[in-house]
């Protein structure tokens, strides 16, 4: 934890306390929280008494999961900060997507900024309207806002990419994807894509939000551990991995869009899985020529555009999105901690 110091070098009072909550098994939710957290400044995250991650219990993945995070809180464990002394109660909370956590925190009198990171959702107004609702949606992408205010793109804190890049990154979301679609994709297209990625780029990072056991089983024996690495998104820095890799293939998700668009990096969509991904892919490709990795043998998928070109993103009007959505949410959280509703 960084402690700010005044001009005379003496210590200052620590920042106000905030609780950070996201669904670690939903890629968009996880990336949204991380990108906002990078702009909290002197706001100090509050962790649970057991020392776990600053998160509340998340509802189960509707399609099931075999990779529950080790610090998950049981559904009947009570509020996320139960047992904390009054001096450690957060001044405010940022909740990404978890409606149950928002309701519990509001019952405790803790003001909440609730950020919905799923495209097309129409979040409720919340108990008594005592929470500030925000929706992750790029300015260039039309869609419903429901009861929330669109934030713009939640870009990573570091917009540049490494000067030397190598390998491929496959960023996959299986949240709310029917099990039969997951199994069919893992057994066929995924294995073929990873094999071609290794052949074309030398190595492949596979990062997914949930069902890692199924993916690892499907990719078992495909290549050596130095050539293919399968990781859970909650355990790696997705933005840093993207900065270091040459080729980027991703599920149609808002987090992946913000990552590629903000860095003006080439993006290829993995086959859309589930209704939400198919809807988002359809809306995006009407505006941006994002190719789909339906044929791993297509050489154009593995050849990034020349350095210095904006490529596919030149189709967008830059005035429609200034990429400061994460800063806006962090500023709102800071204001809420100082002047609760």
């Amino acid at each position: 934890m960084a402690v700010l110091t005044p001009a005379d070098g003496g210590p200052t009072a620590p920042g106000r306390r905030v609780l950070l909550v996201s669904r670690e098994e939903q890629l968009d939710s996880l990336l949204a929280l991380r990108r906002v957290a990078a702009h909290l400044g002197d706001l100090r995250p509050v962790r649970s008494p057991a020392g776990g991650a600053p998160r509340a219990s998340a509802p189960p993945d509707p399609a099931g999961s075999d990779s529950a995070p080790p610090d998950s809180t049981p559904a009947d464990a009570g509020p996320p900060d139960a047992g904390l002394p009054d001096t450690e109660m957060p001044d405010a909370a940022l909740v990404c997507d978890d409606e149950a956590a928002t309701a519990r925190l509001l019952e405790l009198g803790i003001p909440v900024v609730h950020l919905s990171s799923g495209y097309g959702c129409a979040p409720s107004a919340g108990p008594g309207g005592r929470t500030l609702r925000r929706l992750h949606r790029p300015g260039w992408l039309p869609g419903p806002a429901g009861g929330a205010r669109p934030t713009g793109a939640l870009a990573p804190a570091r917009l540049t990419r490494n000067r030397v890049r190598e390998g491929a990154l496959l960023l996959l979301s299986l949240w709310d994807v029917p099990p039969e679609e997951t199994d069919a994709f893992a057994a066929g297209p995924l294995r073929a894509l990873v094999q071609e990625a290794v052949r074309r780029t030398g190595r492949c990072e596979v990062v997914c939000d949930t069902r890692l056991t199924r993916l690892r089983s499907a990719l078992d024996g495909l290549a050596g551990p130095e050539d293919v690495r399968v990781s859970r998104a909650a355990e790696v820095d997705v933005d840093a991995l993207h900065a270091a890799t040459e080729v980027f293939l991703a599920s149609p998700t808002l987090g992946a869009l913000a990552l590629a668009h903000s860095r003006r990096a080439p993006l290829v969509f993995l086959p859309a899985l589930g209704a939400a991904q198919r809807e988002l892919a359809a809306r995006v490709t009407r505006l941006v020529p994002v190719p789909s990795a339906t044929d791993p043998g297509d050489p154009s998928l593995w050849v990034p555009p020349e350095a210095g070109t904006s490529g596919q993103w030149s189709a967008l009007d830059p005035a429609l999105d200034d990429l400061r959505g994460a800063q806006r949410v962090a500023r709102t959280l800071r204001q809420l901690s100082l002047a609760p509703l």
Side-chain angles (χ1 to χ4, degrees):
M1 178 184 69
V3 178
L4 300 179
T5 56
D8 62 4
T12 65
R16 299 182 71 81
R17 295 170 294 273
V18 296
L19 181 69
L20 305 179
V21 182
S22 71
R23 290 174 177 163
E24 290 189 354
E25 293 190 351
Q26 182 182 6
L27 180 66
D28 273 345
S29 181
L30 174 68
L31 294 182
L33 182 134
R34 286 180 176 177
R35 290 172 186 169
V36 173
H39 297 281
L40 292 182
D42 63 341
L43 294 179
R44 181 162 61 93
V46 173
R47 294 185 177 271
S48 68
R55 63 186 298 273
S57 60
D61 180 340
S65 169
D66 58 9
S67 59
D71 58 356
S72 293
T73 306
D76 58 354
D81 52 354
L84 286 174
D86 289 343
T87 56
E88 290 297 324
M89 289 287 281
D91 297 288
L94 170 65
V95 178
C96 296
D97 302 286
D98 193 335
E99 292 285 353
T102 291
R104 289 198 301 272
L105 290 166
L106 291 173
E107 289 173 359
L108 292 171
I110 299 170
V112 175
V113 175
H114 186 99
L115 177 61
S116 297
S117 46
Y119 176 77
C121 60
S124 63
R130 293 179 291 110
T131 183
L132 298 179
R133 298 269 166 175
R134 299 294 182 265
L135 177 67
H136 176 197
R137 194 183 78 204
W140 52 267
L141 185 65
R149 177 185 299 176
T151 64
L154 302 177
R158 176 176 174 265
L159 294 183
T160 59
R161 302 177 74 198
N162 297 1
R163 180 172 299 178
V164 178
R165 301 183 294 275
E166 59 181 5
L169 170 62
L170 268 67
L171 184 58
L172 179 62
S173 177
L174 296 177
W175 170 264
D176 203 17
V177 174
E180 60 273 15
E181 286 195 49
T182 295
D183 292 342
F185 175 74
L190 176 64
R191 188 174 176 89
L193 283 166
V194 172
Q195 188 172 34
E196 190 68 10
V198 173
R199 189 177 78 84
R200 297 271 186 174
T201 70
R203 65 181 182 87
C204 183
E205 294 272 359
V206 180
V207 178
C208 190
D209 46 12
T210 187
R211 298 182 221 168
L212 270 292
T213 300
R214 179 67 186 92
L215 296 191
R216 290 191 174 109
S217 175
L219 299 176
D220 185 44
L222 187 63
E226 295 183 359
D227 299 324
V228 178
R229 184 173 67 169
V230 182
S231 305
R232 191 164 69 94
E235 298 172 350
V236 296
D237 187 337
V238 171
D239 296 345
L241 287 175
H242 177 261
T245 52
E246 183 179 21
V247 177
F248 184 39
L249 297 89
S251 297
T253 59
L254 290 168
L257 275 175
L259 185 54
H261 176 213
S262 61
R263 288 174 170 168
R264 297 300 191 270
L267 170 66
V268 175
F269 275 156
L270 292 169
L273 303 175
Q277 290 186 21
R278 284 189 284 272
E279 180 187 1
L280 179 58
R283 289 183 177 271
V284 169
T285 52
R286 292 188 193 119
L287 303 171
V288 185
V290 179
S292 180
T294 54
D295 178 13
D298 182 356
S300 66
L301 301 180
W302 312 101
V303 182
E306 295 182 8
T309 65
S310 57
Q312 64 203 120
W313 305 109
S314 61
L316 298 178
D317 180 357
L320 293 177
D321 207 330
D322 61 9
L323 306 177
R324 291 184 292 184
Q327 292 97 314
R328 289 192 189 93
V329 176
R331 184 167 59 248
T332 298
L333 187 63
R334 183 175 293 105
Q335 292 169 344
L336 188 62
S337 71
L338 294 170
L341 296 174

Short mmCIF file of all heavy atoms in Angstrom, two decimals, residues 115-161:
data_model
loop_
_atom_site.label_atom_id
_atom_site.label_comp_id
_atom_site.label_asym_id
_atom_site.label_seq_id
_atom_site.Cartn_x
_atom_site.Cartn_y
_atom_site.Cartn_z
N LEU A 115 -21.03 -1.14 -11.06
CA LEU A 115 -20.62 -1.11 -12.46
C LEU A 115 -21.06 -2.39 -13.14
O LEU A 115 -20.61 -3.48 -12.77
CB LEU A 115 -19.10 -0.94 -12.56
CG LEU A 115 -18.49 -0.96 -13.96
CD1 LEU A 115 -19.04 0.18 -14.81
CD2 LEU A 115 -16.97 -0.88 -13.87
N SER A 116 -21.92 -2.27 -14.12
CA SER A 116 -22.36 -3.42 -14.90
C SER A 116 -21.47 -3.54 -16.13
O SER A 116 -21.39 -2.61 -16.94
CB SER A 116 -23.83 -3.26 -15.32
OG SER A 116 -24.66 -3.20 -14.19
N SER A 117 -20.80 -4.67 -16.27
CA SER A 117 -19.83 -4.82 -17.34
C SER A 117 -20.31 -5.74 -18.45
O SER A 117 -19.55 -6.02 -19.38
CB SER A 117 -18.50 -5.34 -16.78
OG SER A 117 -18.68 -6.42 -15.90
N GLY A 118 -21.55 -6.19 -18.38
CA GLY A 118 -22.07 -7.02 -19.45
C GLY A 118 -22.80 -6.18 -20.47
O GLY A 118 -23.55 -5.26 -20.12
N TYR A 119 -22.57 -6.44 -21.74
CA TYR A 119 -23.21 -5.63 -22.77
C TYR A 119 -24.71 -5.90 -22.83
O TYR A 119 -25.16 -7.04 -22.73
CB TYR A 119 -22.61 -5.92 -24.15
CG TYR A 119 -23.32 -5.17 -25.24
CD1 TYR A 119 -23.06 -3.83 -25.44
CD2 TYR A 119 -24.28 -5.78 -26.03
CE1 TYR A 119 -23.71 -3.11 -26.42
CE2 TYR A 119 -24.95 -5.07 -27.01
CZ TYR A 119 -24.67 -3.73 -27.20
OH TYR A 119 -25.34 -3.03 -28.15
N GLY A 120 -25.48 -4.82 -23.00
CA GLY A 120 -26.91 -4.96 -23.21
C GLY A 120 -27.73 -5.18 -21.96
O GLY A 120 -28.93 -5.35 -22.03
N CYS A 121 -27.07 -5.19 -20.78
CA CYS A 121 -27.83 -5.42 -19.56
C CYS A 121 -28.58 -4.15 -19.18
O CYS A 121 -28.20 -3.05 -19.54
CB CYS A 121 -26.91 -5.85 -18.42
SG CYS A 121 -25.64 -4.63 -18.03
N ALA A 122 -29.66 -4.33 -18.45
CA ALA A 122 -30.44 -3.20 -17.97
C ALA A 122 -30.55 -3.32 -16.46
O ALA A 122 -31.51 -3.87 -15.93
CB ALA A 122 -31.83 -3.18 -18.62
N PRO A 123 -29.53 -2.86 -15.70
CA PRO A 123 -29.51 -3.05 -14.25
C PRO A 123 -30.66 -2.33 -13.56
O PRO A 123 -31.14 -1.31 -14.03
CB PRO A 123 -28.17 -2.46 -13.84
CG PRO A 123 -27.82 -1.50 -14.92
CD PRO A 123 -28.39 -2.08 -16.18
N SER A 124 -31.07 -2.88 -12.45
CA SER A 124 -32.15 -2.28 -11.68
C SER A 124 -31.64 -1.03 -10.98
O SER A 124 -30.45 -0.76 -10.92
CB SER A 124 -32.66 -3.28 -10.64
OG SER A 124 -31.63 -3.59 -9.71
N ALA A 125 -32.58 -0.28 -10.44
CA ALA A 125 -32.20 0.96 -9.77
C ALA A 125 -31.58 0.72 -8.41
O ALA A 125 -30.96 1.60 -7.84
CB ALA A 125 -33.43 1.86 -9.62
N GLY A 126 -31.71 -0.49 -7.87
CA GLY A 126 -31.14 -0.79 -6.57
C GLY A 126 -32.09 -0.41 -5.45
O GLY A 126 -33.03 0.36 -5.63
N PRO A 127 -31.83 -0.92 -4.23
CA PRO A 127 -32.70 -0.62 -3.09
C PRO A 127 -32.79 0.87 -2.82
O PRO A 127 -31.81 1.50 -2.46
CB PRO A 127 -32.02 -1.37 -1.93
CG PRO A 127 -31.18 -2.42 -2.59
CD PRO A 127 -30.74 -1.82 -3.89
N GLY A 128 -33.95 1.42 -3.03
CA GLY A 128 -34.18 2.82 -2.70
C GLY A 128 -33.40 3.79 -3.57
O GLY A 128 -33.34 4.97 -3.29
N GLY A 129 -32.79 3.31 -4.64
CA GLY A 129 -32.00 4.19 -5.49
C GLY A 129 -30.77 4.74 -4.79
O GLY A 129 -30.25 5.79 -5.16
N ARG A 130 -30.26 4.06 -3.72
CA ARG A 130 -29.14 4.58 -2.93
C ARG A 130 -27.79 4.14 -3.46
O ARG A 130 -26.82 4.10 -2.71
CB ARG A 130 -29.31 4.13 -1.47
CG ARG A 130 -30.51 4.75 -0.78
CD ARG A 130 -30.67 4.27 0.65
NE ARG A 130 -31.05 2.86 0.70
CZ ARG A 130 -30.25 1.89 1.12
NH1 ARG A 130 -29.02 2.15 1.46
NH2 ARG A 130 -30.69 0.64 1.16
N THR A 131 -27.69 3.84 -4.73
CA THR A 131 -26.42 3.45 -5.32
C THR A 131 -26.27 4.14 -6.67
O THR A 131 -27.25 4.46 -7.33
CB THR A 131 -26.35 1.92 -5.49
OG1 THR A 131 -25.09 1.56 -6.02
CG2 THR A 131 -27.44 1.42 -6.43
N LEU A 132 -25.03 4.39 -7.05
CA LEU A 132 -24.74 5.03 -8.34
C LEU A 132 -24.47 3.93 -9.36
O LEU A 132 -23.56 3.12 -9.18
CB LEU A 132 -23.54 5.95 -8.22
CG LEU A 132 -23.70 7.13 -7.24
CD1 LEU A 132 -22.42 7.95 -7.19
CD2 LEU A 132 -24.89 8.00 -7.64
N ARG A 133 -25.26 3.90 -10.43
CA ARG A 133 -25.17 2.85 -11.45
C ARG A 133 -24.37 3.33 -12.65
O ARG A 133 -24.62 4.41 -13.19
CB ARG A 133 -26.57 2.44 -11.89
CG ARG A 133 -27.42 1.86 -10.76
CD ARG A 133 -27.26 0.37 -10.71
NE ARG A 133 -27.79 -0.18 -9.47
CZ ARG A 133 -27.87 -1.47 -9.21
NH1 ARG A 133 -27.45 -2.34 -10.11
NH2 ARG A 133 -28.33 -1.90 -8.06
N ARG A 134 -23.40 2.51 -13.06
CA ARG A 134 -22.61 2.80 -14.24
C ARG A 134 -22.58 1.55 -15.13
O ARG A 134 -22.66 0.43 -14.65
CB ARG A 134 -21.17 3.19 -13.86
CG ARG A 134 -21.09 4.45 -13.00
CD ARG A 134 -21.55 5.67 -13.75
NE ARG A 134 -21.44 6.89 -12.96
CZ ARG A 134 -22.42 7.42 -12.26
NH1 ARG A 134 -23.61 6.82 -12.21
NH2 ARG A 134 -22.24 8.54 -11.59
N LEU A 135 -22.48 1.79 -16.44
CA LEU A 135 -22.48 0.70 -17.41
C LEU A 135 -21.25 0.82 -18.30
O LEU A 135 -21.03 1.86 -18.92
CB LEU A 135 -23.75 0.74 -18.27
CG LEU A 135 -23.87 -0.30 -19.39
CD1 LEU A 135 -24.00 -1.70 -18.82
CD2 LEU A 135 -25.05 0.03 -20.30
N HIS A 136 -20.47 -0.26 -18.36
CA HIS A 136 -19.31 -0.27 -19.24
C HIS A 136 -19.78 -0.42 -20.68
O HIS A 136 -20.28 -1.47 -21.07
CB HIS A 136 -18.39 -1.45 -18.86
CG HIS A 136 -17.21 -1.61 -19.78
ND1 HIS A 136 -16.48 -2.76 -19.82
CD2 HIS A 136 -16.65 -0.77 -20.66
CE1 HIS A 136 -15.50 -2.63 -20.71
NE2 HIS A 136 -15.59 -1.43 -21.23
N ARG A 137 -19.64 0.66 -21.44
CA ARG A 137 -20.00 0.61 -22.86
C ARG A 137 -19.21 1.66 -23.62
O ARG A 137 -19.27 2.85 -23.27
CB ARG A 137 -21.49 0.86 -23.07
CG ARG A 137 -21.96 0.48 -24.47
CD ARG A 137 -23.43 0.82 -24.67
NE ARG A 137 -23.61 2.24 -24.93
CZ ARG A 137 -24.75 2.89 -24.70
NH1 ARG A 137 -25.78 2.25 -24.19
NH2 ARG A 137 -24.85 4.17 -24.96
N PRO A 138 -18.43 1.27 -24.64
CA PRO A 138 -17.71 2.26 -25.43
C PRO A 138 -18.66 3.25 -26.08
O PRO A 138 -19.79 2.90 -26.45
CB PRO A 138 -17.00 1.41 -26.50
CG PRO A 138 -16.94 0.03 -25.93
CD PRO A 138 -18.17 -0.11 -25.09
N GLY A 139 -18.22 4.49 -26.23
CA GLY A 139 -19.08 5.51 -26.81
C GLY A 139 -19.47 5.24 -28.25
O GLY A 139 -20.50 5.72 -28.70
N TRP A 140 -18.65 4.47 -28.98
CA TRP A 140 -18.95 4.20 -30.38
C TRP A 140 -19.89 3.02 -30.57
O TRP A 140 -20.33 2.75 -31.69
CB TRP A 140 -17.65 3.93 -31.15
CG TRP A 140 -16.77 2.88 -30.55
CD1 TRP A 140 -15.74 3.07 -29.68
CD2 TRP A 140 -16.84 1.46 -30.78
NE1 TRP A 140 -15.15 1.86 -29.35
CE2 TRP A 140 -15.81 0.86 -30.02
CE3 TRP A 140 -17.66 0.64 -31.56
CZ2 TRP A 140 -15.58 -0.50 -29.99
CZ3 TRP A 140 -17.43 -0.73 -31.53
CH2 TRP A 140 -16.40 -1.29 -30.77
N LEU A 141 -20.22 2.33 -29.49
CA LEU A 141 -21.05 1.13 -29.59
C LEU A 141 -22.44 1.42 -29.05
O LEU A 141 -22.63 1.52 -27.84
CB LEU A 141 -20.40 -0.02 -28.82
CG LEU A 141 -21.09 -1.39 -28.92
CD1 LEU A 141 -21.02 -1.90 -30.35
CD2 LEU A 141 -20.42 -2.38 -27.98
N PRO A 142 -23.44 1.57 -29.90
CA PRO A 142 -24.79 1.86 -29.41
C PRO A 142 -25.38 0.67 -28.69
O PRO A 142 -25.04 -0.48 -28.95
CB PRO A 142 -25.57 2.19 -30.69
CG PRO A 142 -24.85 1.43 -31.76
CD PRO A 142 -23.40 1.45 -31.37
N GLY A 143 -26.29 0.97 -27.77
CA GLY A 143 -26.94 -0.11 -27.05
C GLY A 143 -27.72 0.43 -25.88
O GLY A 143 -27.63 1.61 -25.54
N PRO A 144 -28.49 -0.43 -25.21
CA PRO A 144 -29.32 0.02 -24.09
C PRO A 144 -28.49 0.34 -22.87
O PRO A 144 -27.46 -0.28 -22.62
CB PRO A 144 -30.24 -1.19 -23.84
CG PRO A 144 -29.44 -2.37 -24.32
CD PRO A 144 -28.64 -1.87 -25.49
N ALA A 145 -28.92 1.31 -22.11
CA ALA A 145 -28.25 1.67 -20.87
C ALA A 145 -29.07 1.31 -19.65
O ALA A 145 -28.55 1.23 -18.55
CB ALA A 145 -27.93 3.16 -20.85
N GLY A 146 -30.38 1.07 -19.81
CA GLY A 146 -31.21 0.75 -18.66
C GLY A 146 -31.21 1.89 -17.68
O GLY A 146 -31.35 3.06 -18.03
N GLY A 147 -31.00 1.57 -16.40
CA GLY A 147 -30.96 2.60 -15.37
C GLY A 147 -29.57 3.06 -15.05
O GLY A 147 -29.35 3.69 -14.01
N ALA A 148 -28.57 2.77 -15.90
CA ALA A 148 -27.18 3.11 -15.60
C ALA A 148 -26.66 4.14 -16.59
O ALA A 148 -27.11 4.25 -17.72
CB ALA A 148 -26.32 1.85 -15.65
N ARG A 149 -25.63 4.87 -16.16
CA ARG A 149 -24.97 5.84 -17.03
C ARG A 149 -23.79 5.17 -17.71
O ARG A 149 -22.91 4.62 -17.05
CB ARG A 149 -24.48 7.02 -16.21
CG ARG A 149 -23.71 8.07 -17.02
CD ARG A 149 -23.14 9.15 -16.13
NE ARG A 149 -24.19 9.86 -15.41
CZ ARG A 149 -23.95 10.79 -14.51
NH1 ARG A 149 -22.70 11.09 -14.19
NH2 ARG A 149 -24.96 11.40 -13.89
N PRO A 150 -23.71 5.19 -19.04
CA PRO A 150 -22.56 4.60 -19.73
C PRO A 150 -21.26 5.29 -19.33
O PRO A 150 -21.22 6.51 -19.13
CB PRO A 150 -22.88 4.82 -21.22
CG PRO A 150 -24.36 4.97 -21.26
CD PRO A 150 -24.73 5.66 -19.98
N THR A 151 -20.19 4.50 -19.22
CA THR A 151 -18.91 5.04 -18.76
C THR A 151 -17.95 5.35 -19.89
O THR A 151 -17.02 6.12 -19.72
CB THR A 151 -18.20 4.03 -17.85
OG1 THR A 151 -17.88 2.86 -18.62
CG2 THR A 151 -19.06 3.65 -16.68
N GLY A 152 -18.12 4.74 -21.06
CA GLY A 152 -17.07 4.74 -22.06
C GLY A 152 -16.19 3.53 -21.85
O GLY A 152 -16.43 2.68 -20.98
N ALA A 153 -15.13 3.42 -22.64
CA ALA A 153 -14.25 2.25 -22.58
C ALA A 153 -13.42 2.26 -21.30
O ALA A 153 -12.92 3.30 -20.87
CB ALA A 153 -13.33 2.22 -23.79
N LEU A 154 -13.27 1.08 -20.69
CA LEU A 154 -12.41 0.92 -19.52
C LEU A 154 -11.05 0.43 -20.02
O LEU A 154 -10.78 -0.76 -20.12
CB LEU A 154 -13.01 -0.08 -18.54
CG LEU A 154 -14.41 0.24 -18.02
CD1 LEU A 154 -14.92 -0.88 -17.12
CD2 LEU A 154 -14.43 1.56 -17.26
N ALA A 155 -10.20 1.37 -20.37
CA ALA A 155 -8.90 1.05 -20.95
C ALA A 155 -7.91 0.65 -19.87
O ALA A 155 -8.06 1.03 -18.70
CB ALA A 155 -8.37 2.25 -21.72
N PRO A 156 -6.89 -0.13 -20.23
CA PRO A 156 -5.84 -0.45 -19.25
C PRO A 156 -5.06 0.80 -18.88
O PRO A 156 -5.02 1.78 -19.64
CB PRO A 156 -4.95 -1.46 -20.00
CG PRO A 156 -5.19 -1.18 -21.44
CD PRO A 156 -6.62 -0.74 -21.55
N ALA A 157 -4.44 0.79 -17.70
CA ALA A 157 -3.71 1.96 -17.23
C ALA A 157 -2.51 2.25 -18.12
O ALA A 157 -2.14 3.41 -18.33
CB ALA A 157 -3.25 1.74 -15.79
N ARG A 158 -1.90 1.20 -18.67
CA ARG A 158 -0.74 1.36 -19.55
C ARG A 158 -1.19 1.11 -20.98
O ARG A 158 -1.57 -0.01 -21.32
CB ARG A 158 0.36 0.38 -19.15
CG ARG A 158 1.59 0.39 -20.04
CD ARG A 158 2.65 -0.54 -19.47
NE ARG A 158 3.80 -0.68 -20.37
CZ ARG A 158 3.95 -1.64 -21.25
NH1 ARG A 158 3.01 -2.57 -21.37
NH2 ARG A 158 5.01 -1.71 -22.02
N LEU A 159 -1.13 2.14 -21.82
CA LEU A 159 -1.66 2.02 -23.18
C LEU A 159 -0.64 1.53 -24.19
O LEU A 159 -1.01 1.06 -25.26
CB LEU A 159 -2.23 3.37 -23.64
CG LEU A 159 -3.45 3.88 -22.87
CD1 LEU A 159 -3.93 5.18 -23.48
CD2 LEU A 159 -4.56 2.85 -22.85
N THR A 160 0.65 1.63 -23.88
CA THR A 160 1.66 1.20 -24.84
C THR A 160 1.88 -0.32 -24.76
O THR A 160 1.55 -0.96 -23.77
CB THR A 160 3.00 1.90 -24.58
OG1 THR A 160 3.43 1.60 -23.24
CG2 THR A 160 2.86 3.39 -24.74
N ARG A 161 2.44 -0.86 -25.83
CA ARG A 161 2.81 -2.27 -25.88
C ARG A 161 4.33 -2.39 -25.86
O ARG A 161 5.05 -1.44 -26.16
CB ARG A 161 2.24 -2.94 -27.13
CG ARG A 161 0.72 -2.83 -27.24
CD ARG A 161 0.23 -3.44 -28.53
NE ARG A 161 0.27 -4.90 -28.49
CZ ARG A 161 0.22 -5.67 -29.57
NH1 ARG A 161 0.16 -5.12 -30.77
NH2 ARG A 161 0.24 -6.97 -29.45
#
